[in-house]
mmCIF file of all heavy atoms in Angstrom:
data_model
loop_
_atom_site.group_PDB
_atom_site.id
_atom_site.type_symbol
_atom_site.label_atom_id
_atom_site.label_comp_id
_atom_site.label_asym_id
_atom_site.label_seq_id
_atom_site.Cartn_x
_atom_site.Cartn_y
_atom_site.Cartn_z
ATOM 1 N N HIS A 227 -42.396 304.359 9.454
ATOM 2 C CA HIS A 227 -42.549 303.645 8.174
ATOM 3 C C HIS A 227 -43.811 302.806 8.201
ATOM 4 O O HIS A 227 -44.574 302.797 7.239
ATOM 5 C CB HIS A 227 -41.325 302.778 7.899
ATOM 6 C CG HIS A 227 -41.435 301.977 6.641
ATOM 7 N ND1 HIS A 227 -41.099 302.510 5.437
ATOM 8 C CD2 HIS A 227 -41.869 300.705 6.421
ATOM 9 C CE1 HIS A 227 -41.302 301.608 4.498
ATOM 10 N NE2 HIS A 227 -41.778 300.501 5.081
ATOM 11 N N ASP A 228 -44.047 302.101 9.288
ATOM 12 C CA ASP A 228 -45.234 301.249 9.400
ATOM 13 C C ASP A 228 -46.533 302.057 9.357
ATOM 14 O O ASP A 228 -47.576 301.544 8.959
ATOM 15 C CB ASP A 228 -45.172 300.393 10.674
ATOM 16 C CG ASP A 228 -44.060 299.355 10.601
ATOM 17 O OD1 ASP A 228 -43.574 299.058 9.496
ATOM 18 O OD2 ASP A 228 -43.675 298.867 11.699
ATOM 19 N N SER A 229 -46.473 303.315 9.786
ATOM 20 C CA SER A 229 -47.666 304.155 9.802
ATOM 21 C C SER A 229 -47.753 304.976 8.499
ATOM 22 O O SER A 229 -48.522 305.944 8.451
ATOM 23 C CB SER A 229 -47.692 305.067 11.018
ATOM 24 O OG SER A 229 -46.603 305.985 10.948
ATOM 25 N N THR A 230 -46.987 304.606 7.481
ATOM 26 C CA THR A 230 -46.927 305.213 6.156
ATOM 27 C C THR A 230 -46.497 306.682 6.185
ATOM 28 O O THR A 230 -46.823 307.429 5.280
ATOM 29 C CB THR A 230 -48.279 305.084 5.405
ATOM 30 O OG1 THR A 230 -49.254 305.900 6.047
ATOM 31 C CG2 THR A 230 -48.751 303.661 5.302
ATOM 32 N N ASN A 231 -45.736 307.072 7.158
ATOM 33 C CA ASN A 231 -45.160 308.402 7.220
ATOM 34 C C ASN A 231 -43.721 308.277 6.722
ATOM 35 O O ASN A 231 -42.743 308.371 7.470
ATOM 36 C CB ASN A 231 -45.209 308.979 8.661
ATOM 37 C CG ASN A 231 -44.912 310.428 8.712
ATOM 38 O OD1 ASN A 231 -44.507 311.034 7.709
ATOM 39 N ND2 ASN A 231 -45.080 311.008 9.869
ATOM 40 N N TYR A 232 -43.567 308.077 5.415
ATOM 41 C CA TYR A 232 -42.287 307.711 4.814
ATOM 42 C C TYR A 232 -41.246 308.833 4.861
ATOM 43 O O TYR A 232 -40.075 308.559 5.077
ATOM 44 C CB TYR A 232 -42.492 307.218 3.382
ATOM 45 C CG TYR A 232 -43.453 306.059 3.301
ATOM 46 C CD1 TYR A 232 -44.643 306.162 2.623
ATOM 47 C CD2 TYR A 232 -43.157 304.862 3.922
ATOM 48 C CE1 TYR A 232 -45.528 305.104 2.531
ATOM 49 C CE2 TYR A 232 -44.030 303.792 3.869
ATOM 50 C CZ TYR A 232 -45.216 303.922 3.162
ATOM 51 O OH TYR A 232 -46.077 302.867 3.118
ATOM 52 N N GLU A 233 -41.697 310.056 4.687
ATOM 53 C CA GLU A 233 -40.734 311.170 4.708
ATOM 54 C C GLU A 233 -40.078 311.297 6.070
ATOM 55 O O GLU A 233 -38.846 311.462 6.175
ATOM 56 C CB GLU A 233 -41.441 312.458 4.300
ATOM 57 C CG GLU A 233 -40.514 313.651 4.183
ATOM 58 C CD GLU A 233 -41.230 314.902 3.724
ATOM 59 O OE1 GLU A 233 -42.404 314.840 3.350
ATOM 60 O OE2 GLU A 233 -40.572 315.948 3.767
ATOM 61 N N TYR A 234 -40.874 311.245 7.117
ATOM 62 C CA TYR A 234 -40.322 311.324 8.471
ATOM 63 C C TYR A 234 -39.479 310.090 8.781
ATOM 64 O O TYR A 234 -38.429 310.181 9.423
ATOM 65 C CB TYR A 234 -41.452 311.473 9.495
ATOM 66 C CG TYR A 234 -40.980 311.656 10.919
ATOM 67 C CD1 TYR A 234 -40.084 312.660 11.250
ATOM 68 C CD2 TYR A 234 -41.442 310.826 11.920
ATOM 69 C CE1 TYR A 234 -39.665 312.845 12.555
ATOM 70 C CE2 TYR A 234 -41.035 310.996 13.234
ATOM 71 C CZ TYR A 234 -40.129 311.991 13.533
ATOM 72 O OH TYR A 234 -39.724 312.161 14.835
ATOM 73 N N ALA A 235 -39.891 308.937 8.301
ATOM 74 C CA ALA A 235 -39.132 307.716 8.499
ATOM 75 C C ALA A 235 -37.748 307.847 7.845
ATOM 76 O O ALA A 235 -36.750 307.446 8.456
ATOM 77 C CB ALA A 235 -39.862 306.526 7.917
ATOM 78 N N MET A 236 -37.695 308.412 6.657
ATOM 79 C CA MET A 236 -36.397 308.600 5.992
ATOM 80 C C MET A 236 -35.504 309.524 6.802
ATOM 81 O O MET A 236 -34.303 309.266 6.942
ATOM 82 C CB MET A 236 -36.619 309.167 4.580
ATOM 83 C CG MET A 236 -37.230 308.174 3.633
ATOM 84 S SD MET A 236 -37.714 308.882 2.041
ATOM 85 C CE MET A 236 -36.369 309.897 1.600
ATOM 86 N N THR A 237 -36.075 310.572 7.366
ATOM 87 C CA THR A 237 -35.313 311.485 8.201
ATOM 88 C C THR A 237 -34.725 310.751 9.410
ATOM 89 O O THR A 237 -33.546 310.939 9.751
ATOM 90 C CB THR A 237 -36.206 312.653 8.682
ATOM 91 O OG1 THR A 237 -36.710 313.326 7.546
ATOM 92 C CG2 THR A 237 -35.413 313.617 9.549
ATOM 93 N N LEU A 238 -35.547 309.915 10.026
ATOM 94 C CA LEU A 238 -35.082 309.186 11.220
ATOM 95 C C LEU A 238 -34.030 308.131 10.829
ATOM 96 O O LEU A 238 -33.061 307.933 11.573
ATOM 97 C CB LEU A 238 -36.257 308.516 11.915
ATOM 98 C CG LEU A 238 -37.225 309.497 12.595
ATOM 99 C CD1 LEU A 238 -38.475 308.779 13.031
ATOM 100 C CD2 LEU A 238 -36.550 310.189 13.756
ATOM 101 N N TRP A 239 -34.193 307.468 9.683
ATOM 102 C CA TRP A 239 -33.196 306.501 9.265
ATOM 103 C C TRP A 239 -31.839 307.204 9.073
ATOM 104 O O TRP A 239 -30.801 306.696 9.535
ATOM 105 C CB TRP A 239 -33.587 305.823 7.946
ATOM 106 C CG TRP A 239 -34.715 304.859 8.030
ATOM 107 C CD1 TRP A 239 -35.905 304.930 7.351
ATOM 108 C CD2 TRP A 239 -34.794 303.653 8.828
ATOM 109 N NE1 TRP A 239 -36.701 303.878 7.684
ATOM 110 C CE2 TRP A 239 -36.058 303.069 8.582
ATOM 111 C CE3 TRP A 239 -33.945 303.037 9.718
ATOM 112 C CZ2 TRP A 239 -36.473 301.897 9.197
ATOM 113 C CZ3 TRP A 239 -34.358 301.859 10.337
ATOM 114 C CH2 TRP A 239 -35.593 301.300 10.077
ATOM 115 N N VAL A 240 -31.857 308.337 8.423
ATOM 116 C CA VAL A 240 -30.607 309.078 8.153
ATOM 117 C C VAL A 240 -29.957 309.554 9.455
ATOM 118 O O VAL A 240 -28.728 309.458 9.635
ATOM 119 C CB VAL A 240 -30.849 310.255 7.199
ATOM 120 C CG1 VAL A 240 -29.669 311.182 7.125
ATOM 121 C CG2 VAL A 240 -31.200 309.745 5.816
ATOM 122 N N ARG A 241 -30.784 310.037 10.374
ATOM 123 C CA ARG A 241 -30.214 310.502 11.661
ATOM 124 C C ARG A 241 -29.603 309.341 12.439
ATOM 125 O O ARG A 241 -28.581 309.491 13.089
ATOM 126 C CB ARG A 241 -31.276 311.219 12.485
ATOM 127 C CG ARG A 241 -31.665 312.546 11.830
ATOM 128 C CD ARG A 241 -32.647 313.316 12.620
ATOM 129 N NE ARG A 241 -31.978 313.841 13.826
ATOM 130 C CZ ARG A 241 -32.617 314.487 14.787
ATOM 131 N NH1 ARG A 241 -33.901 314.695 14.689
ATOM 132 N NH2 ARG A 241 -31.973 314.946 15.827
ATOM 133 N N GLY A 242 -30.211 308.158 12.357
ATOM 134 C CA GLY A 242 -29.649 306.984 13.021
ATOM 135 C C GLY A 242 -28.397 306.495 12.313
ATOM 136 O O GLY A 242 -27.430 306.102 12.974
ATOM 137 N N ILE A 243 -28.397 306.545 10.992
ATOM 138 C CA ILE A 243 -27.225 306.094 10.240
ATOM 139 C C ILE A 243 -26.031 307.015 10.534
ATOM 140 O O ILE A 243 -24.896 306.579 10.489
ATOM 141 C CB ILE A 243 -27.565 306.040 8.746
ATOM 142 C CG1 ILE A 243 -28.535 304.891 8.471
ATOM 143 C CG2 ILE A 243 -26.310 305.884 7.884
ATOM 144 C CD1 ILE A 243 -29.142 304.859 7.084
ATOM 145 N N ALA A 244 -26.289 308.260 10.866
ATOM 146 C CA ALA A 244 -25.190 309.182 11.231
ATOM 147 C C ALA A 244 -24.470 308.689 12.484
ATOM 148 O O ALA A 244 -23.267 308.916 12.643
ATOM 149 C CB ALA A 244 -25.728 310.581 11.451
ATOM 150 N N PHE A 245 -25.183 307.997 13.379
ATOM 151 C CA PHE A 245 -24.561 307.463 14.591
ATOM 152 C C PHE A 245 -23.929 306.097 14.336
ATOM 153 O O PHE A 245 -22.986 305.716 15.041
ATOM 154 C CB PHE A 245 -25.571 307.337 15.714
ATOM 155 C CG PHE A 245 -25.928 308.653 16.339
ATOM 156 C CD1 PHE A 245 -27.170 309.224 16.121
ATOM 157 C CD2 PHE A 245 -25.029 309.335 17.128
ATOM 158 C CE1 PHE A 245 -27.524 310.437 16.680
ATOM 159 C CE2 PHE A 245 -25.349 310.562 17.723
ATOM 160 C CZ PHE A 245 -26.593 311.102 17.482
ATOM 161 N N ASP A 246 -24.445 305.338 13.360
ATOM 162 C CA ASP A 246 -23.905 304.004 13.086
ATOM 163 C C ASP A 246 -24.009 303.736 11.576
ATOM 164 O O ASP A 246 -24.940 303.047 11.128
ATOM 165 C CB ASP A 246 -24.650 302.927 13.877
ATOM 166 C CG ASP A 246 -23.976 301.548 13.742
ATOM 167 O OD1 ASP A 246 -22.861 301.476 13.201
ATOM 168 O OD2 ASP A 246 -24.601 300.570 14.181
ATOM 169 N N PRO A 247 -23.062 304.227 10.794
ATOM 170 C CA PRO A 247 -23.124 304.050 9.343
ATOM 171 C C PRO A 247 -22.798 302.621 8.891
ATOM 172 O O PRO A 247 -22.910 302.317 7.714
ATOM 173 C CB PRO A 247 -22.098 305.050 8.811
ATOM 174 C CG PRO A 247 -21.182 305.297 9.931
ATOM 175 C CD PRO A 247 -21.980 305.105 11.199
ATOM 176 N N THR A 248 -22.435 301.757 9.795
ATOM 177 C CA THR A 248 -22.100 300.384 9.437
ATOM 178 C C THR A 248 -23.309 299.465 9.418
ATOM 179 O O THR A 248 -23.195 298.297 9.028
ATOM 180 C CB THR A 248 -21.059 299.810 10.391
ATOM 181 O OG1 THR A 248 -21.620 299.773 11.713
ATOM 182 C CG2 THR A 248 -19.780 300.640 10.386
ATOM 183 N N ASP A 249 -24.480 299.934 9.814
ATOM 184 C CA ASP A 249 -25.688 299.123 9.889
ATOM 185 C C ASP A 249 -26.342 299.022 8.510
ATOM 186 O O ASP A 249 -27.110 299.907 8.102
ATOM 187 C CB ASP A 249 -26.661 299.705 10.901
ATOM 188 C CG ASP A 249 -27.788 298.741 11.260
ATOM 189 O OD1 ASP A 249 -28.066 297.840 10.472
ATOM 190 O OD2 ASP A 249 -28.363 298.935 12.336
ATOM 191 N N LEU A 250 -26.039 297.946 7.772
ATOM 192 C CA LEU A 250 -26.556 297.755 6.438
ATOM 193 C C LEU A 250 -28.058 297.572 6.425
ATOM 194 O O LEU A 250 -28.759 298.006 5.498
ATOM 195 C CB LEU A 250 -25.873 296.561 5.777
ATOM 196 C CG LEU A 250 -26.242 296.306 4.318
ATOM 197 C CD1 LEU A 250 -25.922 297.520 3.459
ATOM 198 C CD2 LEU A 250 -25.534 295.079 3.810
ATOM 199 N N ASP A 251 -28.615 296.932 7.441
ATOM 200 C CA ASP A 251 -30.059 296.728 7.531
ATOM 201 C C ASP A 251 -30.786 298.062 7.588
ATOM 202 O O ASP A 251 -31.827 298.239 6.921
ATOM 203 C CB ASP A 251 -30.395 295.897 8.776
ATOM 204 C CG ASP A 251 -31.858 295.500 8.860
ATOM 205 O OD1 ASP A 251 -32.399 295.096 7.818
ATOM 206 O OD2 ASP A 251 -32.452 295.614 9.951
ATOM 207 N N ALA A 252 -30.258 299.009 8.299
ATOM 208 C CA ALA A 252 -30.883 300.349 8.379
ATOM 209 C C ALA A 252 -30.807 301.061 7.050
ATOM 210 O O ALA A 252 -31.751 301.744 6.644
ATOM 211 C CB ALA A 252 -30.193 301.184 9.456
ATOM 212 N N ILE A 253 -29.723 300.878 6.315
ATOM 213 C CA ILE A 253 -29.585 301.505 5.016
ATOM 214 C C ILE A 253 -30.608 300.900 4.033
ATOM 215 O O ILE A 253 -31.228 301.636 3.233
ATOM 216 C CB ILE A 253 -28.144 301.331 4.485
ATOM 217 C CG1 ILE A 253 -27.180 302.137 5.388
ATOM 218 C CG2 ILE A 253 -28.020 301.827 3.044
ATOM 219 C CD1 ILE A 253 -25.722 301.848 5.145
ATOM 220 N N GLU A 254 -30.818 299.596 4.110
ATOM 221 C CA GLU A 254 -31.815 298.963 3.254
ATOM 222 C C GLU A 254 -33.213 299.428 3.613
ATOM 223 O O GLU A 254 -34.055 299.633 2.716
ATOM 224 C CB GLU A 254 -31.706 297.447 3.362
ATOM 225 C CG GLU A 254 -30.433 296.891 2.741
ATOM 226 C CD GLU A 254 -30.240 295.414 3.026
ATOM 227 O OE1 GLU A 254 -30.940 294.854 3.892
ATOM 228 O OE2 GLU A 254 -29.349 294.814 2.380
ATOM 229 N N LYS A 255 -33.495 299.597 4.889
ATOM 230 C CA LYS A 255 -34.821 300.070 5.301
ATOM 231 C C LYS A 255 -35.032 301.516 4.911
ATOM 232 O O LYS A 255 -36.160 301.934 4.588
ATOM 233 C CB LYS A 255 -34.995 299.853 6.802
ATOM 234 C CG LYS A 255 -35.153 298.377 7.160
ATOM 235 C CD LYS A 255 -35.375 298.198 8.631
ATOM 236 C CE LYS A 255 -35.541 296.703 8.940
ATOM 237 N NZ LYS A 255 -35.826 296.470 10.349
ATOM 238 N N PHE A 256 -33.967 302.311 4.913
ATOM 239 C CA PHE A 256 -34.058 303.670 4.427
ATOM 240 C C PHE A 256 -34.478 303.657 2.952
ATOM 241 O O PHE A 256 -35.362 304.426 2.543
ATOM 242 C CB PHE A 256 -32.729 304.406 4.567
ATOM 243 C CG PHE A 256 -32.658 305.704 3.809
ATOM 244 C CD1 PHE A 256 -33.276 306.830 4.331
ATOM 245 C CD2 PHE A 256 -31.999 305.803 2.595
ATOM 246 C CE1 PHE A 256 -33.252 308.019 3.640
ATOM 247 C CE2 PHE A 256 -31.972 306.981 1.912
ATOM 248 C CZ PHE A 256 -32.602 308.105 2.426
ATOM 249 N N ALA A 257 -33.864 302.790 2.170
ATOM 250 C CA ALA A 257 -34.208 302.686 0.764
ATOM 251 C C ALA A 257 -35.671 302.244 0.583
ATOM 252 O O ALA A 257 -36.353 302.734 -0.310
ATOM 253 C CB ALA A 257 -33.287 301.723 0.045
ATOM 254 N N ALA A 258 -36.136 301.360 1.426
ATOM 255 C CA ALA A 258 -37.507 300.904 1.371
ATOM 256 C C ALA A 258 -38.476 302.060 1.669
ATOM 257 O O ALA A 258 -39.528 302.187 1.037
ATOM 258 C CB ALA A 258 -37.756 299.771 2.354
ATOM 259 N N SER A 259 -38.117 302.909 2.603
ATOM 260 C CA SER A 259 -38.950 304.086 2.907
ATOM 261 C C SER A 259 -38.936 305.060 1.729
ATOM 262 O O SER A 259 -39.935 305.701 1.447
ATOM 263 C CB SER A 259 -38.480 304.778 4.170
ATOM 264 O OG SER A 259 -38.691 304.002 5.315
ATOM 265 N N ALA A 260 -37.808 305.163 1.073
ATOM 266 C CA ALA A 260 -37.696 306.069 -0.055
ATOM 267 C C ALA A 260 -38.533 305.595 -1.240
ATOM 268 O O ALA A 260 -39.069 306.398 -1.999
ATOM 269 C CB ALA A 260 -36.217 306.208 -0.476
#
């Protein structure tokens, strides 16, 4: 995300959320990347 590769960042956020869907901060950061 910091390197402006938003599409790949979104993929990584989703893959991480699959392991821990309770992390609200990650969900918000996914939305920021989107």
Side-chain angles (χ1 to χ4, degrees):
H227 178 85
D228 292 341
S229 66
T230 68
N231 192 352
Y232 303 117
E233 184 177 352
Y234 184 54
M236 289 171 45
T237 301
L238 292 169
W239 289 120
V240 169
R241 291 183 72 185
I243 291 169
F245 285 108
D246 187 10
T248 62
D249 193 338
L250 184 59
D251 187 44
I253 294 169
E254 291 172 348
K255 289 182 179 183
F256 167 78
S259 293

